[in-house]
Amino acid sequence: MSDESSQVIRILFVEDNVVDVELALHQLKRAGIRYVWRRVETEAGLIAGLHEFAPTIILSDFSLPQFDGMSALGIAQQHAPAVPFVFLSGTIGEERAILALRSGAVDYVLKDNLGRLATSVTRALSDAAEDVERVRQEALIARLNRVLHMLSGVNSLVLRIRDRKELLRETCRLAISVGGYAAAIASTKVPDIAAMQPVAWSGIDDEVTEKLRSYVAESAGRESSVVGKVIRTGKEFVCGNTAAQSATVNFDALMVHAGLRSVAVLPLVIDGAVIAVLVLCARDSNIVGAEEMEMLREVAGNLSFGLQYIQRDTTARFLSHFDSQTGLAKRPLFCERVQRLVASATSRGPRYAAVVMDIERLSVINDSFGRRTGDLLLRHVADRLKYYYPKTDQIAHFTGGTFALISPQGDRTEEEIQAAGYRQAEAIFGEPFQVEGRSIPVAVRTGFALFPEDAPDATVLVQNAEAALHGARATGGKHVRYSSTARLEGVGQLALEHRLRLAFERQEFELFYQPKVSVITRRIQGAEALIRWRSPQDGLVLPGDFLPILESSGLIVQVGDWVIRQAAQDCQRWLRDGLPPIRVAVNIAPAQLGHPDFVRDFLRAVEPWSTKTSGLDVEITEGVLQEDSLTEVNRLKLLRDTGAKIAIDDFGTGYSSLRRLAALPIDTLKIDRHFVAACVGNPAGASLVKTIIALARTFDMATVAEGVEKQEQLDFLWHMGCDQSQGFLHSPAVTAAEFGLLLRHGKGRLIQPAESEELSESNASGF
Ligand code: C2E
Ligand code: CA
Ligand code: CA
């Protein structure tokens, strides 16, 4: 090797004869070898020489006055096994030569044939270098193997664990037990401030790990520190030899003291921001090479994905409990909180009033000032409520202009409660609201119910307060207690129920269809069937006005069955008319799905004619699939086996965690129109829609946006990769006949005619 000769070698002579040393050096010099040397001639001298001089080669006589060559070889092998040992001696005889080589000497050179010495030394050194390299390679492969195992371990953690701390804790443990690191520490960002805090750690030496942990905790805030720099720059930090590094004094001193030579600090990044760091330390120097770093980057990437996923899941769950506009609890969470309150109340008190209030004529405000002003107004109302009820878990925003609150009443009489309610409403709503330069006066109606007098538990309490509000609307009352209205409500309901029964017998219900349009091609891919009541007395009545009665009376089961049969009939007629096949979704009420004949009736209506491209799908709400609804889940599975797709309606308004949904038979998420409305010009709304779409994709679910009214919303949905769009932008729900025309010709620039058959085939596979 050419550079071997230019290197300075370090020779340790085990030799009593100075002249022999000089002769040997003369030969080496002639061969162009550069060297430094030392001579020893006793056992003690040899041991000291090996350690202090650190030779790269040993040249040893075979017999010395106070020592012998074979013992020297034994000592050298023990203290410096990697240093080549060459005998340089007078005649030693073949047998002893063989023994010497077997014992680990790499060569022997006779003193009367010194011409061979330079070649022998050169070869011994290059062999030794190769050995070192081979050992290094083997160690490297072994290490890479361990890190590879760690990587695959982390991947399965990411798939399995849904808790951030636990994920990091298990990762640290893996880094030690599988990855072969000596210590691992994970720090995550503390919300709202710049700091990071260690949340998980593991190590082979507890004391060392603890020291490192406090260093990481303490230094994260210092921008100049190793950890601080990684957090600030988002760039990984690797050091192969902490003993030689000088830029990061404290850290290195600590590491060196702990016997840790290699360290890697990896940033975990979500959306371009560092949200956590993973610190890995090892005892040996220079072990984090390029390949290992490559794998560690992958570990960090997959961990980041896992954390992001967990975060999104939590955000989605969080947002599903709270109203995104006002930040107040939604109805289910409010009921839960009320339940907790009343559960702790005893028979002697405290008493509570549940109050539900409704902003009068919110729709007029929306119509005259615009939806945006209406939304802002709701936010202002929420803010005032928060001001008067600083314990925000007392208040809630149900839907539209309806707010609710729960307050302790002590032993006030009903009159006192009434009076206090008036005063409170006056205080909160007496002054007009200033919204975007407009002064908007707001009037509210409230209904309330008392616990325990009016209701045995939280659910009924809230329901009865709502019933009281309905009563207030009907009677024009301002602040109405439950019991006084209950009877009135009952009469109204019975009358309406009777009218609906008649309507059903007289076939006054009708199905309208609203197109679902491919966000990419803008072609009609499907439709949703929506029920209408063509009342001879009141004209076309929307489901909002009669569905609750159908549901509470149980009529919904028969009417729902009719909806399925009617939709099937309409579909078949479109097919007969030569229109392109599409899939039509029907809404299924919980009571329908709960009915034992549901699957049988559905299949009867659909099986004779449906194909992959034309048939009926179902839309259900999240609530249907809560906890112990095994039967319902199995029914949906049966439907699905025959080709019907299952969609979750109004997604985002209910309770479900997406993770739970992933285990259910669901093909499609319909993003609730409130989120779609908030997705443009509202970062929280936009991020929620984005999250829902991204998560749906990870679960292989399709997404349909509801209530798309504006081009900007459609553009946003297109960017986010939403599959289908439904809303007034494309078309309102229209009669079956009108829908046939839409299918054939399309309308305006937003809907193309429906797709030809081949096109919808290729699309159906992706959907
Ligand atoms: P849904 O399932 O969320 O249906 C969508 C509702 O949003 C429809 O109201 C539709 O007319 C309306 N909509 C569509 N595009 C837009 C838009 O761009 N902006 C706005 N603001 N609204 C839009 P509809 O027809 O009044 O139905 C209300 C609800 O009644 C439905 O909500 C569904 O839950 C229920 N429903 C309708 N038909 C049936 C049925 O046959 N059976 C059952 N069980 N429920 C039904
Ligand atoms: Ca629906
Ligand atoms: Ca919906």
Side-chain angles (χ1 to χ4, degrees):
M1 286 181 197
S2 58
D3 64 338
E4 199 90 333
S5 52
S6 62
Q7 254 174 332
V8 178
I9 65 172
R10 306 174 66 82
I11 312 169
L12 183 64
F13 285 98
V14 185
E15 179 63 80
D16 58 314
N17 189 336
V18 185
V19 177
D20 283 350
V21 170
E22 277 172 5
L23 285 173
L25 291 175
H26 180 65
Q27 286 295 330
L28 296 177
K29 189 182 261 168
R30 268 187 49 188
I33 295 174
R34 298 195 295 140
Y35 50 77
V36 291
W37 61 280
R38 184 190 274 199
R39 184 179 68 85
V40 298
E41 54 184 311
T42 59
E43 181 171 338
L46 174 59
I47 294 176
L50 286 172
H51 290 287
E52 292 157 14
F53 182 64
T56 45
I57 189 164
I58 300 161
L59 298 179
S60 172
D61 201 353
F62 205 78
S63 49
L64 299 98
Q66 314 174 35
F67 200 23
D68 77 287
M70 287 304 282
S71 315
L73 177 57
I75 290 168
Q77 299 232 293
Q78 193 189 335
H79 291 268
V83 179
F85 189 104
V86 175
F87 277 117
L88 181 60
S89 73
T91 337
I92 58 174
E94 202 176 339
E95 256 172 56
R96 284 208 284 174
I98 289 171
L99 177 66
L101 291 179
R102 279 213 183 121
S103 309
V106 297
D107 199 1
Y108 67 88
V109 176
L110 296 179
K111 283 183 179 170
D112 54 12
N113 189 13
L114 275 182
R116 257 194 79 232
L117 182 63
T119 332
S120 171
V121 165
T122 312
R123 208 189 62 208
L125 285 172
S126 79
D127 285 355
E130 267 173 34
D131 280 354
V132 168
E133 179 57 18
R134 202 193 59 243
V135 170
R136 207 185 64 81
Q137 284 291 347
E138 280 168 6
L140 181 67
I141 291 170
R143 265 214 63 72
L144 287 180
N145 247 319
R146 304 194 70 163
V147 179
L148 192 65
H149 276 111
M150 171 178 160
L151 172 62
S152 86
V154 167
N155 289 352
S156 65
L157 292 181
V158 165
L159 293 178
R160 180 166 59 80
I161 297 180
R162 282 293 154 260
D163 176 81
R164 177 163 108 133
K165 237 186 213 171
E166 194 189 342
L167 175 59
L168 293 171
R169 210 181 298 134
E170 289 301 315
T171 300
C172 287
R173 235 177 254 159
L174 266 185
I176 310 305
S177 64
V178 176
Y181 291 93
I185 291 144
S187 279
T188 57
K189 194 155 179 326
V190 181
D192 300 333
I193 51 173
M196 293 256 177
Q197 270 303 323
V199 289
W201 52 88
S202 189
I204 40 185
D205 179 327
D206 289 348
E207 202 177 315
V208 168
T209 312
E210 175 50 32
K211 277 196 188 135
L212 281 169
R213 191 193 67 77
S214 35
Y215 171 79
V216 170
E218 168 273 315
S219 70
R222 276 188 290 117
E223 291 207 344
S224 59
S225 74
V226 170
V227 178
K229 225 180 264 170
V230 172
I231 295 170
R232 184 164 48 85
T233 61
K235 296 213 176 75
E236 67 215 15
F237 169 87
V238 200
C239 172
N241 189 353
T242 46
Q245 195 94 8
S246 56
T248 53
V249 191
N250 290 338
F251 191 39
D252 294 329
L254 176 66
M255 297 284 284
V256 172
H257 186 72
L260 300 171
R261 286 296 153 87
S262 292
V263 57
V265 183
L266 305 159
L268 305 185
V269 180
I270 296 183
D271 294 337
V274 180
I275 51 117
V277 287
L278 180 63
V279 182
L280 297 170
C281 309
R283 282 186 168 151
D284 295 333
S285 50
N286 295 318
I287 58 165
V288 187
E291 289 107 325
E292 178 156 342
M293 202 54 223
E294 200 52 52
M295 287 186 203
L296 288 182
R297 263 180 226 130
E298 205 156 323
V299 167
N302 295 351
L303 263 185
S304 306
F305 171 82
L307 292 177
Q308 176 172 29
Y309 181 82
I310 289 169
Q311 192 181 50
R312 281 184 170 166
D313 201 25
T314 327
T315 321
R317 237 179 347 214
F318 175 84
L319 285 173
S320 73
H321 284 73
F322 294 89
D323 182 80
S324 57
Q325 261 185 37
T326 58
L328 294 178
K330 289 184 188 170
R331 193 179 185 286
L333 177 62
F334 179 70
C335 287
E336 222 173 71
R337 287 173 166 174
V338 172
Q339 182 56 41
R340 240 172 281 144
L341 268 184
V342 302
S344 62
T346 62
S347 58
R348 283 190 29 73
R351 288 154 79 223
Y352 287 97
V355 182
V356 181
M357 58 186 95
D358 200 23
I359 298 179
E360 283 184 64
R361 294 190 303 278
L362 180 63
S363 57
V364 177
I365 296 174
N366 275 333
D367 289 348
S368 35
F369 301 127
R371 183 64 193 261
R372 192 184 136 73
T373 306
D375 288 350
L376 284 174
L377 174 67
L378 291 181
R379 232 178 279 176
H380 279 81
V381 169
D383 287 345
R384 263 198 215 172
L385 283 172
K386 285 179 202 167
Y387 176 79
Y388 281 95
Y389 298 92
K391 282 166 80 181
T392 43
D393 55 356
Q394 276 184 286
I395 49 185
H397 182 196
F398 285 5
T399 50
T402 309
F403 292 83
L405 61 92
I406 178 95
S407 67
Q409 296 299 332
D411 40 39
R412 284 178 180 158
T413 64
E414 183 177 346
E415 287 69 39
E416 285 167 340
I417 294 174
Q418 287 270 17
Y422 274 119
R423 277 200 307 277
Q424 190 71 291
E426 183 58 29
I428 300 175
F429 297 100
E431 291 287 313
F433 288 78
Q434 306 302 325
V435 182
E436 291 195 312
R438 286 201 179 85
S439 180
I440 304 179
V442 167
V444 291
R445 244 180 247 292
T446 59
F448 70 97
L450 296 179
F451 175 88
E453 293 97 311
D454 297 339
D457 63 38
T459 316
V460 180
L461 181 65
V462 175
Q463 266 171 16
N464 287 351
E466 287 171 313
L469 176 62
H470 286 145
R473 280 201 208 106
T475 59
K478 275 277 174 200
H479 193 65
V480 178
R481 181 177 172 184
Y482 165 70
S483 51
S484 57
T485 65
R487 246 177 329 116
L488 257 181
E489 272 278 295
V491 170
Q493 156 136 3
L494 271 181
L496 189 51
E497 199 180 308
H498 179 66
R499 282 185 63 199
L500 285 170
R501 263 180 221 286
L502 283 180
F504 185 53
E505 281 163 22
R506 295 175 186 162
Q507 302 183 8
E508 289 169 7
F509 289 115
E510 205 175 309
L511 279 191
F512 273 40
Y513 294 90
Q514 186 177 34
K516 292 179 183 171
V517 174
S518 157
V519 171
I520 293 177
T521 66
R522 310 284 150 96
R523 288 173 193 278
I524 300 180
Q525 286 186 322
E528 175 174 2
L530 294 161
I531 195 168
R532 304 285 182 261
W533 173 20
R534 212 177 275 283
S535 153
Q537 191 179 324
D538 301 318
L540 196 67
V541 186
L542 293 177
D545 291 338
F546 60 85
L547 261 179
I549 311 283
L550 287 184
E551 293 196 326
S552 65
S553 65
L555 261 174
I556 188 67
V557 175
Q558 300 161 54
V559 176
D561 184 47
W562 169 82
V563 167
I564 293 168
R565 282 183 286 111
Q566 186 60 44
Q569 246 178 48
D570 289 339
C571 276
Q572 282 168 279
R573 217 200 28 253
W574 293 324
L575 282 175
R576 272 201 309 276
D577 291 350
L579 295 172
I582 55 155
R583 300 204 60 94
V584 170
V586 290
N587 292 284
I588 303 295
Q592 274 177 280
L593 193 56
H595 199 276
D597 294 339
F598 171 66
V599 175
R600 190 198 64 191
D601 293 346
F602 187 91
L603 294 183
R604 243 181 225 170
V606 167
E607 269 194 325
W609 58 276
S610 70
T611 63
K612 194 174 161 203
T613 48
S614 83
L616 295 193
D617 296 330
V618 300
E619 295 188 3
I620 52 171
T621 51
E622 292 169 63
V624 175
L625 298 179
Q626 293 303 307
E627 278 79 70
D628 11 280
S629 45
L630 254 188
T631 332
E632 278 81 354
V633 170
N634 285 333
R635 287 189 184 139
L636 290 175
K637 281 187 179 145
L638 285 174
L639 288 197
R640 205 177 185 220
D641 287 343
T642 67
K645 303 271 187 219
I646 317 290
I648 293 287
D649 218 346
D650 309 335
F651 184 75
T653 57
Y655 246 160
S656 346
S657 107
L658 256 184
R659 186 162 51 87
R660 222 182 76 75
L661 286 184
L664 296 169
I666 291 160
D667 305 283
T668 308
L669 294 184
K670 296 196 74 179
I671 306 167
D672 187 71
R673 69 169 160 276
H674 293 99
F675 298 124
V676 173
C679 79
V680 176
N682 173 348
S687 121
L688 182 67
V689 170
K690 188 172 157 190
T691 303
I692 294 177
I693 294 173
L695 277 173
R697 193 173 304 134
T698 52
F699 293 131
D700 272 340
M701 293 175 190
T703 39
V704 180
E706 299 182 321
V708 178
E709 293 179 354
K710 298 199 183 102
Q711 182 64 44
E712 294 93 295
Q713 293 162 348
L714 185 62
D715 294 341
F716 176 82
L717 294 163
W718 182 82
H719 277 292
M720 292 302 119
C722 182
D723 297 296
Q724 292 186 341
S725 164
Q726 177 184 352
F728 296 163
L729 178 66
H730 309 294
S731 164
V734 295
T735 63
E738 285 169 318
F739 186 75
L741 290 176
L742 274 185
L743 261 186
R744 195 186 298 280
H745 303 298
K747 196 183 97 183
R749 81 201 145 83
L750 290 167
I751 309 182
Q752 311 291 322
E755 298 168 63
S756 68
E757 214 149 329
E758 337 71 273
L759 254 175
S760 51
E761 270 300 337
S762 68
N763 232 300
S765 60
F767 198 57

